[in-house]
Amino acid sequence: MMAHFPMFLELKDRVVLLVGNGPECDYRWNKLQGFGAEILRLEKLTEADFEKNPALVVAGDLPMEENQRIHDLCKARNIPLNVVDVPPLCTVYFPAM
C-alpha cells in the first residue's frame, strides 16, 4: 500500500518551476496551463530560482544525476516535486487527466 494522500494544490497566482526541455516537459507545460500559475521554464534549476517561492517544481527530460540534485534541493526546502517517470524522486504525482 502506498502512503500517499490524494489532495489538490492551489496554483492560482503561484509560481511553478518546470525544469528541462523535451517532450515530457512540453506535456506537463500543457497540463499546467489554465490553472492560473506563473509557469517558468528553466534549462537548469539554481539556488536563485527558489527566491521565486515556487509552489511546485516539475523536472523532466534530464539526466538522473540532475534529477537527484533537484530532488535534494526541493526536499531541503519542503517544495513539492514531480520528477517525470522517476517515482522514487517524486513527492507529488501527476494523475491521469
Side-chain angles (χ1 to χ4, degrees):
M1 180 174 124
M2 293 178 68
H4 293 88
F5 181 79
M7 58 191 293
F8 293 92
L9 180 63
E10 174 66 62
L11 294 178
K12 186 174 188 299
D13 300 324
R14 302 283 311 273
V15 171
V16 174
L17 302 178
L18 182 60
V19 188
N21 193 6
E24 293 297 338
C25 282
D26 292 342
Y27 177 79
R28 295 319 189 268
W29 171 271
N30 290 328
K31 290 298 180 188
L32 288 163
Q33 295 296 312
F35 288 96
E38 177 184 359
I39 306 167
L40 304 177
R41 288 193 79 156
L42 309 170
E43 292 290 324
K44 183 174 177 85
L45 185 68
T46 67
E47 295 278 342
D49 294 318
F50 290 105
E51 293 173 11
K52 298 171 179 79
N53 193 28
L56 172 67
V57 175
V58 179
D61 304 304
L62 297 168
M64 186 55 70
E65 54 275 356
E66 183 64 10
N67 288 332
Q68 184 66 56
R69 187 184 75 82
I70 292 169
H71 170 268
D72 295 344
L73 289 169
C74 289
K75 184 175 182 176
R77 292 163 176 82
N78 292 314
I79 296 171
L81 171 66
N82 176 263
V83 180
V84 177
D85 294 334
V86 188
L89 296 182
C90 294
T91 59
V92 296
Y93 301 95
F94 270 65
M97 295 174 64

